[in-house]
Amino acid sequence: MLASLLQELNILDCAVMVKNQDNSYRAIHSNTTWFSAIFPRGLNGEVTPENNNSVYLTDFLYDANKFWTSNLDGRINSGIWSEQTSVGLWRLEASAITQDDKKYLVIINLENEYNIRQSTLQLARELLISNDKVLEQHELIYKRIESLTYNLSNKIDLHSPIKELMEHCEFGIAMIDANMQPLAQNPALFHIFDIRENDSIAPIDIILDLCHRQFPEFQRVLNTQKKWNSEIYWIKPDTVSRWLHITICPVKDINTKLTYWLLLVTDISRVKYLQQSNEKLTYFDVMTDLPNRQFFWQSLENAMTRNSSLFVLQINIKHIKRINEAYGYAAGDEVIKTVVARLKPIIGEQSILARLGGNEFAIILYKSNEEECELVAKRLINAACEPINIINQNTCKIGLSIGASHYQNDVISAQELMRNADLAAFFGRDKKNQSIHFYSEALRLQSLRRIELEAALRVAIEDKQFELFLQPIYDLQSGNVIKAEALIRWNKPNQGLILPDEFIPIAEQTGLIVAIGQWVIKESIKLLEILHKQNIPITLSVNLSPIQIRDQQLLGIITNSVTKSEIDVASFLELELTEGVLVDDFETVQVFLTAVRKLGITIAIDDFGTGYSSLSYLQKLPIDHLKIDRSFIQELSIGHNQNAIVLAILAMAKSLNLGVIAEGVENETQQEFLRQNSCQSAQGYLFSRPLSFKQFINASDHWSTENKRPFSTLLNKENSE
Amino acid sequence: MIQKKVCIFGASAVGKTSLVNRYVAGIFNDKYLTSIGVKIDKKIVKLNDNNVQLMLWDIEGIDRYSGFNRKFIRGASVAIVVVDQSRIQSFQDGLEITRMLKQEQEIPVILVINKSDLPPADAWHSILENESPSLFEAQLQTSAKQNTGVDNLFFDVAKISLNHT
Ligand SMILES: Nc1nc2c(ncn2[C@@H]2O[C@H](COP(=O)(O)OP(=O)(O)O)[C@@H](O)[C@H]2O)c(=O)[nH]1
Ligand SMILES: [Mg+2]
């Protein structure tokens, strides 16, 4: 019995005790020095673990007794501990075991294992700490330079405090303009590369070249203006080679336009070589025990020479950042480990799953066609998306975005293959439904277009290529125009008018919406002033995007513009928010709306009825109008069902004392229904399309004379001209 | 004699082991040797009317290689969370550990800012002020290296442990 047990445990320097019925123990294997130092023996050779000399062991016996009482077969461990005895320092671990109705207490000397773990973790921790320090320093300098830049006017003055800071910084710093041309490079940077300031090649050339060659995602990082950091390897043949930690950060102005790039470079060769002396650390990620980036590259290159067809999958775990922020990094790490444990069995033994860094993973998958690949991806996504338990009985959900590229005996490099997979993953990142995206020429063109559009939008903001169109809103009783909704159009050079559906989503994703929104407010106020001077005293209604509500400057801008104006603009300005905003971010919205309302501005809820049915917030927020979504109005003439919804909204608005505006009114039947049921106002093609400001002013001439439906006919004429 | 269990937590290399070694054995080593698992040391603190035997649980640094094991604080009277003032991240880690501790059980937590002989990291003071609110029962500065504040720390620990059972 004992022999087999010990064999199974694969240890000999241990002590084994059997628990008797009467709670005493019998030592059946205990001829070790440390054992007698911990357990004083009774006269008959019996041991009494309850009276042992080890505080840690006593503590473990609580757990052990609980476990034995449960009568379940199995084993629990105490975790390793160090015990100082009269005869030396020992590294021990205790286990409570139940097997075939017998209960054992086993203590094992883990000296060897302790030493192995210590030497591995020693390095890992030294690396972790030095990495922390590098990141901390980079972040700090970035913040400082960014704030110094912010206070400068447009021009970067290199004799400023920035220059001072760069001169004295102990690691390398470079500033590069949007076209990747160097603006400044500090002495430390020249020093790293062993270059003199007037040499023909500059450090920055070397770095950019290395980044492009060693990181497939680098061009995308530049295109999308993201912050990024990584480690690169530089070698100067026959002389030196260095490992460098690189951070690249965009420094932007208030319009989120890139002022310049900041490049921070620290020499980390010492720790890197230390790390490489330990093979486990060189090729494996210590947290997940998966192969790391280096290992993956090697495997990929080998696989491409050996196989004629394979897929590379690039996987990003989504929402990890959110989990880190909400529950801390330890929780985020646990989530990553859980996901890895779920993915591993799915991809099987042959394929390679590696952790490239952070929340990025990659797989080499030996499948012959996209369909098979898609099946695997589906299983990966399903497994990963099951809820995950985290601290304190909370659960969370993550998502996967998967990009894939296919290798088929092409003349394509491993780098290109990875770059394509990365692009495909990036493409799928913002998509709601999760699936795998395969790299294709079409996808490349599409993402190019997106990147181009983003760049063009930045120019548009600067060159003021936007224009506000106005769509009149009618009072259904009097037939007078009482309001107009301001709708943005983009006059893209050589392309004509672009509708908001096409560019607002991109503006929202990139944060450009903030600058655009600020322009819309200012422009609306300008138009209001002109209208009123021309005796057209109507209200302008302006759309706000959810992201704008969180723009700290917005309230200031509104207040400023409103108070600066000669006329009482506030009383003629209305802000439109969608239902979703109210629910998502109730407190921010409440503070914002209350402040805006104080100025005299009114509030309307856009697309009403499409979102959330909880109406309690309508009472809690200072709201003036509801705009019934066009989808309900369009159905008005056909079904009774939709009529009921519109009637319900009207009744509710009445009881809450809110005004109602119907959107998308297109025919007489709809107008008649709304009028009969006391809907106050309406907009839609029946009355007028959105008009340019000039058209709007012209049209206004007809309003006083021809009240009812003044210029839909007129407009059609204008358009066909 | 009264015995009290005291748990020492913190990120790796903030000086947990050094503080215990300084206090219990009067020694300090500049070389960093990472701890694995737990080591328990005992020392008697003489207070005015009582002698208290502290059982100091020096616990492996909590980081991505070694998680927080909630069972360690079972029966503890005080928890010490050590941070290294030359490393901002160690403070962030300390805060996180403290939150986990508080979730597990109501226990006084003492924040120890170690390595006071080194210059503090940039922005250390402002971050400390902003983020270290009422979470801590007490907050002390120590240097295991120069032996400042160490005796003081464990004296306070003993006093606080008596108020908590
Ligand atoms: N300068 C200075 N170094 C210290 C101090 N305390 C510890 N250290 C050093 O910090 C490193 C980590 O210490 P250690 O006690 O092993 O940290 P632990 O991982 O928290 O147990 C060692 O190199 C110590 O010599 C201190 O007060 N001042
Ligand atoms: Mg230690």
Side-chain angles (χ1 to χ4, degrees), chain B residues 16-17 33-35 58:
Chain B
K16 300 178 292 297
T17 305
L33 191 61
T34 191
S35 313
D58 177 13

Side-chain angles (χ1 to χ4, degrees), chain B residues 13-18 28-30 32 114-115 117 143-145:
Chain B
V14 292
K16 300 178 292 297
T17 305
S18 301
F28 177 82
N29 193 341
D30 257 317
Y32 170 45
N114 190 38
K115 308 202 187 176
D117 55 294
S143 164
K145 182 169 183 161

